[in-house]
Amino acid sequence: MLGLGGILLGLAVLVWLSFRGWSVLVLAPAAALIAALAASEPLLANWTITFMGAAAGFILSFFPLFLLGAVFGKLMEDSGSVAAIARWMTVKLGAQRAILAVVLAGAIVTYGGVSLFVALFVLVPMGQALFRVANIPNRLLPAAIALGTMTFTMSALPGTPAIQNAIPMPFFGTTPFAAPGLGIIASAVMLGIGLWWLAQAEGRARVAGEGFGAAAAGRVDDPEIRERAALASGFDTAEVPKGPASVAEPPVLVAALPLVIVVGVNLVASLLIMPRLDLTFLATERWGGASVASVTGVWSVLVALTFAIVVLVALNRSRLASLRESVDTGAAASVLPVVSVASLVGFGAVVAAMPAFAAVRDWVLSIGGGPLVSLAVATNILAALTGSASGGLTIALEALGGPFMKLAADLAIDPGLLHRVAVIAAGTLDSLPHNGAVVTLLTVCGCTHKESYMDIVMVAVVSAIVALIAVIVLGTVFGSF
């Protein structure tokens, strides 16, 4: 009982102090040591071996994705490609479909691999200009951007290169295109509910005579915001303003081609190339006895991002004022997010190693409704507590991935179904008020929680929960498809 109390106390310290702006780099090992102390476990061994071993393992598996993703996003921004795509969408759809234009612009660039925060800093000024012309309240802009960038393109659309979609692959031996049919259905649910809510909100505002109003300039250089944001995306917000942006935007087809390459090469590599490669050498001692299934999904995304970066640079070399500076800035932007999430992974590993954790594991696995429901509940709770989809998801899988895979094998459940349920579940209650992406989005838009958070709840939390329920029901009845 004392050991279980230590686990809960460590988690409470982690959550409470992170809300107050303390760095997770300090809090995660401190919380892990509290849990170990309560269980009379060796402190230094848990910190330097268990904690650091798990954190290093996460960096080993996923730092290349954080690195290439951040570099790709920064190059897309500095070449003017993100702005070109967003501007094209706003021109094509016009002020009469301002909300749809913002949602789709955000969806296109983030599904193509551009970081949430890179997209955010481009979409907000364009969205505000469009909302001002359409006389739509500025308070609705955060929800419109959240719907396009933080929901279905992060967790549901098959093939998305978002880090959340990559995390389950080593645990379940899956690809980015796990359960594609269910992912498309979930995406349609999220997009449909989100657009419906925003349309109703716009209609109510027009009836009330509410216009665009004032848009205050928000500050995002607050260290507390930076720390929280680092857990929400693979890009450090402190690096966003750095790097020489292109004065001239590329043609929209040139701007969009790298995004198409990310998705297309990812698909071909995942489904055609990787399964045909002879990777038996991975089982040897030199390569740590790695299983083929644990690496090919991540490799597919890495290959896709690499191809896209090469094409992006080739097409936009004249628009990239300083290629070295853009690449260096993107690379630097990947460090804080990957280390922050890795620290949460280390905390989860220490907790999972405590003898008292067996009771927690048994409780989670005994939740009614089967393994899909228990996996969704566990991931939801941890994502909500940490304010991070990637952090909550990784802690859940680090601690419970093995038991869930065993259950899946016993019950003949496709691991792809576990993958999609886990990722969608991670993207539901992570969007609570303390989430770094939510805080940053509201700050950049010049809005407050009181003004805009309820709309974010409807488009990013409620829609995702409904989609998650739909996937669990369909997956239970029809299996993975």
Side-chain angles (χ1 to χ4, degrees), residues 14 38-39 54 68 113 152 176 206 244 294 314 332-333 357 392 395 431 434 452 472:
L14 175 65
L68 290 186
F152 59 98
R206 293 196 183 281
S294 69
F357 184 74
I395 293 175
S431 296
H434 61 286
S452 303
I472 291 175

PDB file of all heavy atoms in Angstrom, residues 14 38-39 54 68 113 152 176 206 244 294 314 332-333 357 392 395 431 434 452 472:
ATOM      1  N   LEU A  14       4.516  15.557  -9.976  1.00  0.00           N
ATOM      2  CA  LEU A  14       4.813  15.828 -11.383  1.00  0.00           C
ATOM      3  C   LEU A  14       3.753  16.714 -12.015  1.00  0.00           C
ATOM      4  O   LEU A  14       4.058  17.716 -12.679  1.00  0.00           O
ATOM      5  CB  LEU A  14       4.927  14.501 -12.140  1.00  0.00           C
ATOM      6  CG  LEU A  14       5.123  14.589 -13.661  1.00  0.00           C
ATOM      7  CD1 LEU A  14       6.459  15.237 -13.986  1.00  0.00           C
ATOM      8  CD2 LEU A  14       5.048  13.200 -14.284  1.00  0.00           C
ATOM      9  N   ALA A  38       9.367   5.654  -1.643  1.00  0.00           N
ATOM     10  CA  ALA A  38       8.217   5.113  -0.926  1.00  0.00           C
ATOM     11  C   ALA A  38       8.197   3.590  -0.959  1.00  0.00           C
ATOM     12  O   ALA A  38       7.676   2.946  -0.045  1.00  0.00           O
ATOM     13  CB  ALA A  38       6.928   5.666  -1.528  1.00  0.00           C
ATOM     14  N   ALA A  39       8.776   3.021  -2.013  1.00  0.00           N
ATOM     15  CA  ALA A  39       8.800   1.559  -2.141  1.00  0.00           C
ATOM     16  C   ALA A  39      10.079   0.953  -1.584  1.00  0.00           C
ATOM     17  O   ALA A  39      10.307  -0.254  -1.734  1.00  0.00           O
ATOM     18  CB  ALA A  39       8.649   1.172  -3.612  1.00  0.00           C
ATOM     19  N   ALA A  54      15.351   3.983 -19.856  1.00  0.00           N
ATOM     20  CA  ALA A  54      14.115   4.155 -20.616  1.00  0.00           C
ATOM     21  C   ALA A  54      14.136   5.453 -21.419  1.00  0.00           C
ATOM     22  O   ALA A  54      13.715   5.495 -22.583  1.00  0.00           O
ATOM     23  CB  ALA A  54      12.908   4.131 -19.677  1.00  0.00           C
ATOM     24  N   LEU A  68      14.386  15.159 -38.045  1.00  0.00           N
ATOM     25  CA  LEU A  68      13.999  15.392 -39.440  1.00  0.00           C
ATOM     26  C   LEU A  68      12.679  16.141 -39.535  1.00  0.00           C
ATOM     27  O   LEU A  68      12.498  16.985 -40.419  1.00  0.00           O
ATOM     28  CB  LEU A  68      13.916  14.062 -40.189  1.00  0.00           C
ATOM     29  CG  LEU A  68      15.231  13.341 -40.465  1.00  0.00           C
ATOM     30  CD1 LEU A  68      14.998  12.113 -41.335  1.00  0.00           C
ATOM     31  CD2 LEU A  68      16.236  14.263 -41.136  1.00  0.00           C
ATOM     32  N   GLY A 113       3.397  16.782 -42.632  1.00  0.00           N
ATOM     33  CA  GLY A 113       4.599  16.665 -41.828  1.00  0.00           C
ATOM     34  C   GLY A 113       5.113  17.944 -41.218  1.00  0.00           C
ATOM     35  O   GLY A 113       6.146  17.941 -40.548  1.00  0.00           O
ATOM     36  N   PHE A 152      -7.567  15.219 -36.148  1.00  0.00           N
ATOM     37  CA  PHE A 152      -7.510  14.042 -37.014  1.00  0.00           C
ATOM     38  C   PHE A 152      -6.183  13.899 -37.756  1.00  0.00           C
ATOM     39  O   PHE A 152      -5.743  12.786 -38.043  1.00  0.00           O
ATOM     40  CB  PHE A 152      -8.681  14.041 -38.002  1.00  0.00           C
ATOM     41  CG  PHE A 152      -8.745  15.241 -38.909  1.00  0.00           C
ATOM     42  CD1 PHE A 152      -8.240  15.185 -40.194  1.00  0.00           C
ATOM     43  CD2 PHE A 152      -9.349  16.418 -38.479  1.00  0.00           C
ATOM     44  CE1 PHE A 152      -8.311  16.285 -41.037  1.00  0.00           C
ATOM     45  CE2 PHE A 152      -9.435  17.522 -39.318  1.00  0.00           C
ATOM     46  CZ  PHE A 152      -8.900  17.450 -40.601  1.00  0.00           C
ATOM     47  N   PRO A 176       2.727   3.295 -40.034  1.00  0.00           N
ATOM     48  CA  PRO A 176       1.929   4.515 -39.875  1.00  0.00           C
ATOM     49  C   PRO A 176       0.514   4.391 -40.434  1.00  0.00           C
ATOM     50  O   PRO A 176      -0.340   5.222 -40.143  1.00  0.00           O
ATOM     51  CB  PRO A 176       2.734   5.566 -40.656  1.00  0.00           C
ATOM     52  CG  PRO A 176       4.113   5.026 -40.736  1.00  0.00           C
ATOM     53  CD  PRO A 176       3.956   3.545 -40.797  1.00  0.00           C
ATOM     54  N   ARG A 206     -23.350  35.823 -35.275  1.00  0.00           N
ATOM     55  CA  ARG A 206     -23.956  36.751 -36.237  1.00  0.00           C
ATOM     56  C   ARG A 206     -25.331  37.208 -35.749  1.00  0.00           C
ATOM     57  O   ARG A 206     -25.692  38.377 -35.887  1.00  0.00           O
ATOM     58  CB  ARG A 206     -24.050  36.095 -37.614  1.00  0.00           C
ATOM     59  CG  ARG A 206     -22.685  35.828 -38.259  1.00  0.00           C
ATOM     60  CD  ARG A 206     -22.805  35.544 -39.744  1.00  0.00           C
ATOM     61  NE  ARG A 206     -21.512  35.211 -40.327  1.00  0.00           N
ATOM     62  CZ  ARG A 206     -20.579  36.107 -40.657  1.00  0.00           C
ATOM     63  NH1 ARG A 206     -20.807  37.397 -40.438  1.00  0.00           N
ATOM     64  NH2 ARG A 206     -19.437  35.720 -41.195  1.00  0.00           N
ATOM     65  N   PRO A 244      15.992  32.929 -41.452  1.00  0.00           N
ATOM     66  CA  PRO A 244      15.596  33.929 -42.450  1.00  0.00           C
ATOM     67  C   PRO A 244      14.446  33.431 -43.318  1.00  0.00           C
ATOM     68  O   PRO A 244      14.598  32.476 -44.063  1.00  0.00           O
ATOM     69  CB  PRO A 244      16.877  34.113 -43.270  1.00  0.00           C
ATOM     70  CG  PRO A 244      17.589  32.795 -43.160  1.00  0.00           C
ATOM     71  CD  PRO A 244      17.234  32.221 -41.812  1.00  0.00           C
ATOM     72  N   SER A 294       9.729  -3.813 -35.226  1.00  0.00           N
ATOM     73  CA  SER A 294       9.886  -2.679 -34.306  1.00  0.00           C
ATOM     74  C   SER A 294      10.555  -1.478 -34.955  1.00  0.00           C
ATOM     75  O   SER A 294      10.535  -0.374 -34.387  1.00  0.00           O
ATOM     76  CB  SER A 294      10.686  -3.104 -33.075  1.00  0.00           C
ATOM     77  OG  SER A 294      12.038  -3.375 -33.428  1.00  0.00           O
ATOM     78  N   ALA A 314      15.859  21.380 -53.174  1.00  0.00           N
ATOM     79  CA  ALA A 314      16.132  21.496 -54.611  1.00  0.00           C
ATOM     80  C   ALA A 314      15.189  22.479 -55.293  1.00  0.00           C
ATOM     81  O   ALA A 314      15.603  23.260 -56.163  1.00  0.00           O
ATOM     82  CB  ALA A 314      16.025  20.121 -55.263  1.00  0.00           C
ATOM     83  N   ALA A 332      17.975  22.463 -33.761  1.00  0.00           N
ATOM     84  CA  ALA A 332      17.937  22.911 -32.362  1.00  0.00           C
ATOM     85  C   ALA A 332      16.528  22.816 -31.798  1.00  0.00           C
ATOM     86  O   ALA A 332      16.347  22.529 -30.603  1.00  0.00           O
ATOM     87  CB  ALA A 332      18.457  24.344 -32.267  1.00  0.00           C
ATOM     88  N   ALA A 333      15.526  23.033 -32.639  1.00  0.00           N
ATOM     89  CA  ALA A 333      14.134  23.003 -32.177  1.00  0.00           C
ATOM     90  C   ALA A 333      13.675  21.613 -31.778  1.00  0.00           C
ATOM     91  O   ALA A 333      12.664  21.461 -31.090  1.00  0.00           O
ATOM     92  CB  ALA A 333      13.215  23.554 -33.267  1.00  0.00           C
ATOM     93  N   PHE A 357       3.178  -1.524  -8.686  1.00  0.00           N
ATOM     94  CA  PHE A 357       2.550  -1.224  -9.971  1.00  0.00           C
ATOM     95  C   PHE A 357       1.744  -2.409 -10.491  1.00  0.00           C
ATOM     96  O   PHE A 357       0.857  -2.228 -11.332  1.00  0.00           O
ATOM     97  CB  PHE A 357       3.606  -0.823 -11.000  1.00  0.00           C
ATOM     98  CG  PHE A 357       3.017  -0.413 -12.322  1.00  0.00           C
ATOM     99  CD1 PHE A 357       2.385   0.819 -12.464  1.00  0.00           C
ATOM    100  CD2 PHE A 357       3.060  -1.268 -13.418  1.00  0.00           C
ATOM    101  CE1 PHE A 357       1.818   1.192 -13.675  1.00  0.00           C
ATOM    102  CE2 PHE A 357       2.508  -0.903 -14.629  1.00  0.00           C
ATOM    103  CZ  PHE A 357       1.885   0.335 -14.764  1.00  0.00           C
ATOM    104  N   GLY A 392       1.848  10.989 -22.525  1.00  0.00           N
ATOM    105  CA  GLY A 392       0.901  10.043 -21.955  1.00  0.00           C
ATOM    106  C   GLY A 392       0.884   8.721 -22.695  1.00  0.00           C
ATOM    107  O   GLY A 392       0.826   7.643 -22.082  1.00  0.00           O
ATOM    108  N   ILE A 395       4.192   6.723 -21.897  1.00  0.00           N
ATOM    109  CA  ILE A 395       4.159   6.149 -20.547  1.00  0.00           C
ATOM    110  C   ILE A 395       3.246   4.930 -20.516  1.00  0.00           C
ATOM    111  O   ILE A 395       3.586   3.881 -19.961  1.00  0.00           O
ATOM    112  CB  ILE A 395       3.693   7.190 -19.523  1.00  0.00           C
ATOM    113  CG1 ILE A 395       4.732   8.304 -19.373  1.00  0.00           C
ATOM    114  CG2 ILE A 395       3.452   6.542 -18.164  1.00  0.00           C
ATOM    115  CD1 ILE A 395       4.277   9.429 -18.474  1.00  0.00           C
ATOM    116  N   SER A 431      -5.885  17.672 -24.527  1.00  0.00           N
ATOM    117  CA  SER A 431      -6.170  19.089 -24.818  1.00  0.00           C
ATOM    118  C   SER A 431      -6.903  19.776 -23.671  1.00  0.00           C
ATOM    119  O   SER A 431      -7.830  20.555 -23.895  1.00  0.00           O
ATOM    120  CB  SER A 431      -6.989  19.202 -26.108  1.00  0.00           C
ATOM    121  OG  SER A 431      -6.256  18.734 -27.205  1.00  0.00           O
ATOM    122  N   HIS A 434      -4.214  23.022 -19.492  1.00  0.00           N
ATOM    123  CA  HIS A 434      -2.780  23.168 -19.266  1.00  0.00           C
ATOM    124  C   HIS A 434      -1.926  22.656 -20.417  1.00  0.00           C
ATOM    125  O   HIS A 434      -0.699  22.769 -20.379  1.00  0.00           O
ATOM    126  CB  HIS A 434      -2.380  22.433 -17.982  1.00  0.00           C
ATOM    127  CG  HIS A 434      -2.648  20.956 -18.031  1.00  0.00           C
ATOM    128  ND1 HIS A 434      -3.917  20.434 -17.935  1.00  0.00           N
ATOM    129  CD2 HIS A 434      -1.823  19.886 -18.164  1.00  0.00           C
ATOM    130  CE1 HIS A 434      -3.861  19.115 -17.988  1.00  0.00           C
ATOM    131  NE2 HIS A 434      -2.603  18.763 -18.130  1.00  0.00           N
ATOM    132  N   SER A 452     -12.287  31.354 -25.447  1.00  0.00           N
ATOM    133  CA  SER A 452     -12.159  30.398 -26.552  1.00  0.00           C
ATOM    134  C   SER A 452     -12.057  28.934 -26.162  1.00  0.00           C
ATOM    135  O   SER A 452     -12.179  28.062 -27.028  1.00  0.00           O
ATOM    136  CB  SER A 452     -10.912  30.760 -27.383  1.00  0.00           C
ATOM    137  OG  SER A 452     -10.981  32.073 -27.868  1.00  0.00           O
ATOM    138  N   ILE A 472     -13.665   2.061 -31.388  1.00  0.00           N
ATOM    139  CA  ILE A 472     -13.702   0.900 -30.485  1.00  0.00           C
ATOM    140  C   ILE A 472     -14.885   0.001 -30.817  1.00  0.00           C
ATOM    141  O   ILE A 472     -14.755  -1.229 -30.881  1.00  0.00           O
ATOM    142  CB  ILE A 472     -13.764   1.372 -29.014  1.00  0.00           C
ATOM    143  CG1 ILE A 472     -12.445   2.024 -28.610  1.00  0.00           C
ATOM    144  CG2 ILE A 472     -14.095   0.201 -28.087  1.00  0.00           C
ATOM    145  CD1 ILE A 472     -12.445   2.622 -27.211  1.00  0.00           C
TER     146      ILE A 472
END
